[in-house]
Amino acid sequence: MPLAPRNSPPTLDPVRPVMPRTGTGSIMSALSRQPLLKTPIPAGKLTVIEKSKQLAAWTAVDEHVKPEHRVIGIGSGSTVPYVVERIVMQGFEANKDRVFIPTGFQSKELIVSSGLSLGDVDQYPTIDVTLDGADEVDSSLNCIKGGGACHLREKVLAEAANTFILVADYRKNVDVLCTNFKPGVPIEVVPFAYAKVLHNLHAVLGSPTATLRMAVAKAGPVVSDNGNFIIDAPFSHEDMVEPYKIMARIKMLTGVVEVGLFCHMAKAAYFGNADGSVTVKWDGGKVEQVSASP
């Protein structure tokens, strides 16, 4: 499908808030009147991959986090800090009446450390917009999530949102899921049932190499924020052509809490490219290209 050119993406020049001086010239007086929002991104030169993540996040925030939005979901992953960075750059006035709902520990820390107001989905079951990363996104905006073991809470916030937006770098942009993301589909299971679910995946659902995800810096398995185990289940290309079908079959297994396949949920996906452009895929099949800045 031909790509339609659009306006240039936001510049990547670093922007830092400038504190206004009061009549007495006192910066401390200004600080006493309003909190200082803080960018979560440390100073320094970004790699090509990190710049592409930043481009995707900034463009998505500019297009989908509007002044009228008051409840905003913040997802998980390596692209999400750039989402928070761009929201912070909207300034104190834009954010003073907003509340931000996290999908896990990482996004909670990003919200708090940036000086934004923290909320909970129990208080705000309807969210204006949720922005989240992805491990892979296909041509129909189905995606794999759960590489960070947060996909249960991520799916709750995605379903609660009026608008669900994905942000990622160009490596996550594929035609069919499980093309580049080799670990497979993340599946959160209650610890009591993990062996039985593994057997079902091996013997019934066609994932003979499904494995329990083991921790790196501790002995034993990865434990989610909800106290559950994670199974990674690779599936064939044929299964991933219609991921909704295999998602439904996995979800029916007793002991499965949630499946890291997000199908028919996203409105758009933003991919930052190595050349400084951004590819935007929309629900319905439209693809746009935001040209690189001159």
Side-chain angles (χ1 to χ4, degrees):
M1 178 180 295
L3 300 177
R6 295 199 304 161
N7 295 329
S8 297
T11 176
L12 287 180
D13 292 338
V15 177
R16 297 292 182 264
V18 177
M19 292 302 302
R21 292 189 175 273
T22 64
T24 61
S26 169
I27 294 215
M28 291 307 296
S29 297
L31 285 172
S32 67
R33 291 204 314 272
Q34 62 184 45
L36 176 63
L37 301 182
K38 301 176 183 178
T39 175
I41 305 300
K45 186 175 178 62
L46 299 177
T47 65
V48 171
I49 293 294
E50 293 304 309
K51 284 182 179 178
S52 68
K53 294 176 183 179
Q54 188 182 57
L55 274 168
W58 283 23
T59 306
V61 169
D62 288 352
E63 295 200 0
H64 296 283
V65 180
K66 301 300 184 183
E68 64 269 20
H69 291 156
R70 289 293 175 262
V71 183
I72 299 168
I74 301 296
S76 308
S78 61
T79 308
V80 171
Y82 300 110
V83 169
V84 176
E85 175 187 37
R86 192 60 167 177
I87 290 172
V88 165
M89 289 166 61
Q90 291 184 345
F92 172 78
E93 286 299 319
N95 287 296
K96 66 179 182 179
D97 295 323
R98 287 174 172 168
V99 63
F100 296 85
I101 316 298
T103 57
F105 182 84
Q106 178 210 18
S107 49
K108 177 182 177 181
E109 291 299 300
L110 283 170
I111 292 166
V112 172
S113 65
S114 299
L116 301 170
S117 297
L118 181 68
D120 191 272
V121 73
D122 290 346
Q123 302 168 288
Y124 302 94
T126 300
I127 298 172
D128 291 314
V129 59
T130 292
L131 299 101
D132 205 346
D135 296 303
E136 217 167 41
V137 185
D138 72 10
S139 56
S140 299
L141 297 191
N142 302 309
C143 68
I144 293 177
K145 293 180 55 57
C150 298
H151 53 284
L152 170 59
R153 298 190 183 197
E154 289 171 334
K155 191 171 280 190
V156 170
L157 265 63
E159 286 187 354
N162 294 327
T163 303
F164 177 48
I165 301 297
L166 297 168
V167 291
D169 64 77
Y170 57 90
R171 300 171 300 172
K172 314 298 177 65
N173 184 6
V174 298
D175 290 328
V176 179
L177 298 179
C178 288
T179 297
N180 297 327
F181 189 68
K182 298 305 182 183
V185 177
I187 304 167
E188 185 163 347
V189 299
V190 295
F192 171 77
Y194 90 88
K196 172 261 184 191
V197 173
L198 269 176
H199 174 74
N200 293 151
L201 290 165
H202 294 161
V204 180
L205 295 189
S207 183
T209 60
T211 56
L212 182 67
R213 187 185 299 180
M214 303 304 290
V216 175
K218 67 175 280 288
V222 168
V223 178
S224 74
D225 288 351
N226 313 300
N228 297 316
F229 291 171
I230 305 295
I231 290 173
D232 292 308
F235 286 93
S236 68
H237 177 92
E238 290 73 21
D239 285 325
M240 290 294 99
V241 169
E242 295 184 279
Y244 184 84
K245 292 182 178 180
I246 193 65
M247 180 192 73
R249 294 183 68 194
I250 298 170
K251 192 71 181 286
M252 289 298 294
L253 296 175
T254 302
V256 169
V257 178
E258 192 50 79
V259 183
L261 288 170
F262 288 51
C263 301
H264 312 148
M265 299 182 75
K267 178 179 179 180
Y270 289 73
F271 303 97
N273 299 314
D275 64 358
S277 65
V278 176
T279 299
V280 187
K281 289 183 174 180
W282 292 89
D283 181 27
K286 184 175 71 171
V287 180
E288 296 179 292
Q289 190 83 0
V290 182
S291 302
S293 300

